[in-house]
């Protein structure tokens, strides 16, 4: 979809002395033009997809349409930010795989973690709300995976951070790829962490 009277979305970040995100600004207004009316002609494609990836940048109307009409297709959701994450709260029971960071998960659940031993409690809240699988990104502490039967915390790879931008996106891309390849959850999780490490170590 190309729009003549709109600007391509722009994201600008400023990194600190450790090459981690200090502050960022963005103009993603164009995403509001990705409306239900634009998606409806692609309904057959969406219904037959092996999975659908979406994030909380989408408008509430578009999220409502996708999460209600295609919940029989595995839906992989990135919460994006603590503020935008709240848009998906009414639809948690439609989500197959959720990838929040700790702050976003706490914002959605209302649970504040005091210790890593409380990770299962946080994850179980999401399962009670209907989320099938959650990959909780803990930054340097690793990635905590949970479904209704298994919970695993994997540490991150030893990586020199060159640019923190995109690591979460690479992690989700790795999870999607692993699902598409029908890999085991353990191999998928390791692969996704490795993809994030590659993103962190490159400009």
């Amino acid at each position: 979809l190309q729009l003549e009277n709109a600007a391509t979305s722009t994201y600008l970040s400023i990194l600190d002395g450790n090459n981690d995100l200090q502050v960022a600004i963005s103009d993603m207004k164009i995403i509001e033009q990705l409306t239900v009316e634009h998606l409806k002609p692609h309904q057959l494609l969406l219904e037959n997809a092996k999975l659908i990836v979406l994030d909380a940048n989408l408008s509430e109307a578009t999220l409502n349409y996708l999460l209600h009409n295609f919940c029989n297709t595995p839906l992989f959701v990135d919460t994006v930010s603590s503020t935008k994450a709240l848009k998906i709260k009414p639809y948690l029971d439609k989500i197959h795989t959720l990838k929040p960071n700790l702050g976003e998960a706490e914002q959605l659940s209302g649970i504040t973690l005091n210790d890593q031993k409380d990770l299962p409690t946080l994850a179980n809240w999401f399962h009670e709300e209907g989320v099938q699988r959650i990959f909780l990104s803990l930054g340097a502490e690793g990635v905590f995976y949970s479904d209704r039967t298994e919970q695993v915390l994997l540490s991150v790879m030893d990586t020199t951070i060159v640019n923190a931008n995109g690591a979460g996106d690479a992690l989700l891309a790795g999870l999607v790829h692993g699902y598409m390849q029908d890999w085991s959850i353990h191999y998928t999780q390791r692969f996704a962490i490795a993809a994030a490490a590659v993103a962190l170590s490159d400009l």
Side-chain angles (χ1 to χ4, degrees):
L1 173 63
Q2 294 183 338
L3 304 175
E4 293 182 0
N5 299 315
T8 299
S9 55
T10 302
Y11 173 83
L12 174 66
S13 63
I14 298 174
L15 306 181
D16 61 19
N18 296 316
N19 297 321
D20 205 353
L21 180 66
Q22 180 70 34
V23 66
I25 58 173
S26 63
D27 175 9
M28 298 186 181
K29 189 172 180 62
I30 193 173
I31 200 69
E32 296 173 8
Q33 301 301 317
L34 188 58
T35 62
V36 174
E37 289 68 28
H38 283 301
L39 290 173
K40 280 185 175 179
H42 305 287
Q43 181 170 339
L44 188 61
L45 174 67
L46 293 168
E47 286 176 345
N48 289 283
K50 187 167 183 179
L51 62 84
I52 296 172
V53 183
L54 55 90
D55 70 33
N57 282 311
L58 294 167
S59 70
E60 292 188 15
T62 300
L63 286 169
N64 180 70
Y65 171 74
L66 290 169
L67 288 158
H68 270 117
N69 288 280
F70 304 101
C71 53
N72 291 326
T73 300
L75 295 167
F76 282 53
V77 178
D78 191 330
T79 44
V80 177
S81 72
S82 294
T83 301
K84 293 179 180 178
L86 295 175
K87 290 196 286 186
I88 68 162
K89 191 168 186 176
Y91 314 108
L92 292 174
D93 62 331
K94 314 293 185 187
I95 295 172
H96 180 278
T97 297
L98 184 67
K99 189 210 70 69
N101 64 26
L102 180 58
E104 294 156 1
E106 289 179 331
Q107 180 75 6
L108 271 169
S109 65
I111 298 171
T112 301
L113 251 62
N114 297 313
D115 193 277
Q116 276 194 3
K117 69 178 186 298
D118 297 326
L119 285 169
T121 299
L122 179 60
N124 288 337
W125 182 90
F126 284 94
H127 297 319
E128 289 168 5
E129 294 296 311
V131 174
Q132 294 183 43
R133 309 190 311 174
I134 184 169
F135 290 86
L136 184 58
S137 177
L138 303 171
E141 302 301 317
V143 177
F144 181 76
Y145 164 74
S146 178
D147 58 21
R148 298 185 184 278
T149 60
E150 187 174 15
Q151 296 179 323
V152 179
L153 173 62
L154 283 187
S155 59
V156 296
M157 302 173 69
D158 187 15
T159 304
T160 300
I161 299 177
V162 176
N163 183 355
N165 283 316
D169 299 321
L171 179 71
L172 180 58
L175 298 176
V176 169
H177 184 70
Y179 185 87
M180 296 287 286
Q181 299 299 316
D182 294 320
W183 289 343
S184 72
I185 193 61
H186 298 289
Y187 189 82
T188 296
Q189 190 175 3
R190 291 197 301 270
F191 178 86
I193 289 173
V198 170
L200 287 168
S201 62
D202 189 64
L203 289 174

